[in-house]
Protein backbone atom coordinates (compact mmCIF):
# COMPACT_ATOMS: atom_id res chain seq x y z
CA UNK A 1 0.00 0.00 0.00
CA UNK A 2 1.42 3.37 -1.02
CA UNK A 3 1.79 6.13 1.50
CA UNK A 4 -0.56 9.06 1.01
CA UNK A 5 0.70 12.63 1.23
CA UNK A 6 -1.28 15.85 1.64
CA UNK A 7 -0.49 18.82 -0.59
CA UNK A 8 -2.03 22.28 -0.34
CA UNK A 9 -1.82 24.91 -3.02
CA UNK A 10 -3.57 27.95 -4.44
CA UNK A 11 -4.70 28.20 -8.04
CA UNK A 12 -5.55 31.57 -9.50
CA UNK A 13 -5.67 33.59 -12.64
CA UNK A 14 -3.00 36.30 -12.81
CA UNK A 15 -4.32 39.86 -12.73
CA UNK A 16 -3.27 40.40 -16.36
CA UNK A 17 -4.85 37.19 -17.68
CA UNK A 18 -6.16 37.31 -21.24
CA UNK A 19 -8.77 34.63 -20.40
CA UNK A 20 -12.34 35.89 -20.81
CA UNK A 21 -14.41 36.14 -17.63
CA UNK A 22 -16.86 33.43 -18.76
CA UNK A 23 -13.97 31.01 -19.30
CA UNK A 24 -12.48 31.81 -15.89
CA UNK A 25 -15.82 31.40 -14.14
CA UNK A 26 -16.52 28.06 -15.86
CA UNK A 27 -13.10 26.61 -15.05
CA UNK A 28 -13.21 27.70 -11.42
CA UNK A 29 -16.72 26.25 -11.04
CA UNK A 30 -15.52 22.85 -12.27
CA UNK A 31 -12.01 22.93 -10.82
CA UNK A 32 -12.56 20.12 -8.29
CA UNK A 33 -13.88 17.49 -10.71
CA UNK A 34 -11.39 18.56 -13.38
CA UNK A 35 -8.37 18.15 -11.10
CA UNK A 36 -9.83 14.96 -9.60
CA UNK A 37 -9.98 13.40 -13.07
CA UNK A 38 -6.41 14.46 -13.89
CA UNK A 39 -4.94 13.01 -10.71
CA UNK A 40 -7.15 9.89 -10.76
CA UNK A 41 -5.66 8.95 -14.12
CA UNK A 42 -2.41 8.13 -12.27
CA UNK A 43 -3.74 7.51 -8.73
CA UNK A 44 -7.31 6.23 -8.58
CA UNK A 45 -7.43 6.83 -4.81
CA UNK A 46 -6.37 10.49 -5.05
CA UNK A 47 -8.77 13.02 -3.55
CA UNK A 48 -9.08 16.69 -4.41
CA UNK A 49 -10.94 19.24 -2.29
CA UNK A 50 -11.41 22.78 -3.58
CA UNK A 51 -12.51 25.72 -1.47
CA UNK A 52 -12.94 29.44 -2.04
CA UNK A 53 -10.12 31.81 -1.25
CA UNK A 54 -10.66 35.08 0.55
CA UNK A 55 -8.98 36.68 -2.49
CA UNK A 56 -12.04 36.35 -4.76
CA UNK A 57 -13.61 34.14 -7.40
CA UNK A 58 -10.49 33.79 -9.57
CA UNK A 59 -8.66 32.20 -6.59
CA UNK A 60 -9.19 28.71 -5.18
CA UNK A 61 -7.51 26.72 -2.44
CA UNK A 62 -6.84 23.07 -3.27
CA UNK A 63 -6.12 20.16 -0.94
CA UNK A 64 -4.75 17.05 -2.63
CA UNK A 65 -4.26 13.65 -0.99
CA UNK A 66 -2.32 11.27 -3.19
CA UNK A 67 0.36 8.63 -3.34
CA UNK A 68 1.95 10.30 -6.38
CA UNK A 69 5.48 11.61 -6.06
CA UNK A 70 6.33 15.33 -6.13
CA UNK A 71 7.59 15.24 -9.72
CA UNK A 72 4.40 13.54 -10.92
CA UNK A 73 2.23 16.13 -9.15
CA UNK A 74 4.35 18.97 -10.51
CA UNK A 75 4.05 17.65 -14.07
CA UNK A 76 0.25 17.42 -13.85
CA UNK A 77 -0.10 20.89 -12.34
CA UNK A 78 2.38 22.42 -14.80
CA UNK A 79 0.51 21.06 -17.82
CA UNK A 80 -2.85 22.11 -16.36
CA UNK A 81 -1.72 25.62 -15.46
CA UNK A 82 -0.08 26.19 -18.86
CA UNK A 83 -3.16 24.95 -20.70
CA UNK A 84 -5.48 27.28 -18.77
CA UNK A 85 -3.02 30.17 -18.15
CA UNK A 86 -3.26 29.77 -14.37
CA UNK A 87 -0.82 30.36 -11.57
CA UNK A 88 -0.25 27.57 -9.05
CA UNK A 89 1.45 28.27 -5.74
CA UNK A 90 2.17 25.59 -3.15
CA UNK A 91 1.76 26.35 0.52
CA UNK A 92 4.83 25.67 2.62
Amino acid sequence: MSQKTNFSFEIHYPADTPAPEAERTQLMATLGPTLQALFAAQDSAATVTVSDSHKGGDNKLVELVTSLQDLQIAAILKAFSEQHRLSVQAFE
Side-chain angles (χ1 to χ4, degrees), residues 28 30-33 35 48-52 59-63:
M28 289 300 183
T30 60
L31 189 60
L35 288 174
V48 174
T49 305
V50 176
S51 58
D52 292 332
N59 293 267
K60 296 291 183 182
L61 305 176
V62 180
E63 297 286 331

Side-chain angles (χ1 to χ4, degrees), residues 12-89:
H12 64 85
Y13 280 97
D16 62 347
T17 183
E21 184 175 351
E23 179 184 318
R24 296 190 319 256
T25 301
Q26 174 66 24
L27 181 65
M28 289 300 183
T30 60
L31 189 60
T34 301
L35 288 174
Q36 181 72 46
L38 289 173
F39 285 104
Q42 293 185 38
D43 175 9
S44 62
T47 60
V48 174
T49 305
V50 176
S51 58
D52 292 332
S53 168
H54 69 283
K55 297 178 183 177
D58 281 350
N59 293 267
K60 296 291 183 182
L61 305 176
V62 180
E63 297 286 331
L64 168 66
V65 180
T66 184
S67 61
L68 295 176
Q69 299 299 312
D70 290 354
L71 290 177
Q72 293 169 296
I73 295 167
I76 292 168
L77 290 175
K78 183 177 188 292
F80 180 76
S81 65
E82 287 176 353
Q83 177 185 356
H84 296 287
R85 300 172 296 217
L86 292 163
S87 176
V88 177
Q89 293 180 299

